[in-house]
Amino acid sequence: MGYKVAIVGATGNVGREMLNILEERGFPADEVVALASRRSQGTEVSFGDKTLKVKSLDTYDFAGTDICLMSAGGAVAKEWAPKIAAKGCVVIDNSSAFRYDQDVPLIVPEVNADAITGFTKRNIIANPNCSTAQLVVALKPLHDHAKILRVVVSTYQSVSGAGKDGMDELFQQSRAVFVADPTVNKKFTKRIAFNVIPHIDVFMEDGSTKEEWKVMAETKKMLDPKIKVTCTAVRVPVFIGHSEAVNIEFERPISAEEAKAILREAPGCLVIDKHEDGGYITPIETAGEDATYISRIREDQTLENGLNIWVVADNLRKGAALNAIQIAELLVNRKLIGAKKAA
Ligand SMILES: NC(=O)c1ccc[n+]([C@@H]2O[C@H](COP(=O)([O-])OP(=O)(O)OC[C@H]3O[C@@H](n4cnc5c(N)ncnc54)[C@H](OP(=O)(O)O)[C@@H]3O)[C@@H](O)[C@H]2O)c1
């Protein structure tokens, strides 16, 4: 007998991708329930060849639901995740609401799958920030080989990372530029069409942004607290796919050839690295794909044990929906939860 799975935020960018991935991967669900705000009650979303009517989160009873995949932002998660968890339903949350809590595991299955057992403390598991998820998938196998001391990462993040409103804003502004209409900035602080913005999330006291802080804090929590991480996070006019230019300093020597061989074998990684025109990955090619792609692997001549790499992934998949469903698969495959109806 299969599981009963609820998706909170089923009308959003990440929620819709969750529905696609549950179907694609044949997740053992007997029943999938689509939930969103009251505004969306009664609207329809696709699940394989079926159509699901969206229900309101406010009035849904989670008793009897095994897993809740949540992607409705931090405020909704803070209010609802503890209540849902108290009904015996395991919450896998995409927001940053619980990521830094010591008693909530933050999981990327290719990196720290064993930490999942800690979920029993609160019945909540956190999914990382989209830019961190792809970064740690690439760093983990290299860290295991030569021990990473410091990482300098510059991100080039697509507008879908800011939800469906972010995608609409890039579309509307691009159209407005072409027909010489005025552009309107609502979701982003400056025009995003034909521009880049070095600001994602709120500013922190030290002048960095919360997005940059998240990359640092989450990498430390999942990979190794001793690794030093510094980040500049930039929004770019790309619809789907986050890119990262990553400079890594290791404790021990590691050649570009060694790194390439390690990454070729690493779970979740796909190396595309030919030193010729087009012999590298760009975000548009990763949309709809599951892998974390790595290109431009080369030694940094200015560091004793340094490498540069280029990392790209579909932020709605590995950065959010796919990773959440891989976590749900871990729960099932390791028999950490049983279907309520079977009990
Ligand atoms: N996009 C990414 O790359 C990414 C990556 C990692 C994590 N995340 C996180 O995932 C979450 C969702 O992102 P998204 O890109 O899918 O955003 P989105 O496209 O704006 O969708 C937001 C979803 O949340 C629902 N929602 C909003 N308020 C609600 C409420 N009060 N009760 C129930 N549902 C409510 C919306 O329902 P309505 O349609 O009814 O408003 C919609 O389904 C955010 O926490 C984000 O930080 C996103």
Side-chain angles (χ1 to χ4, degrees), residues 9 11-14 36-37 39-40 71-73 94 160-161 163-164 315-316 319-320:
T11 53
N13 273 345
V14 174
S37 76
R39 296 178 291 274
S40 302
S71 67
N94 260 286
S160 57
K164 51 188 183 210
N315 52 294
L316 299 177

Side-chain angles (χ1 to χ4, degrees), residues 100-148:
Y100 317 108
D101 293 7
Q102 278 198 341
D103 51 3
V104 173
L106 175 67
I107 302 290
V108 169
E110 294 88 342
V111 175
N112 64 339
D114 292 346
I116 198 169
T117 49
F119 87 94
T120 49
K121 291 183 196 133
R122 288 177 67 186
N123 244 8
I124 300 174
I125 302 168
N127 208 41
N129 182 262
C130 37
S131 33
T132 318
Q134 64 185 67
L135 178 68
V136 291
V137 169
L139 293 182
K140 163 78 174 159
L142 300 175
H143 185 51
D144 286 348
H145 182 81
K147 199 153 185 239
I148 295 172

Side-chain angles (χ1 to χ4, degrees), residues 8 31 63 100 112 171 183 198 214 261 266 307 322 325 335 341:
V8 176
E31 193 180 343
Y100 317 108
N112 64 339
F171 180 82
T183 55
K214 286 174 188 170
L307 281 182
L322 171 66
I325 288 162
K335 300 190 171 38
K341 280 178 287 181

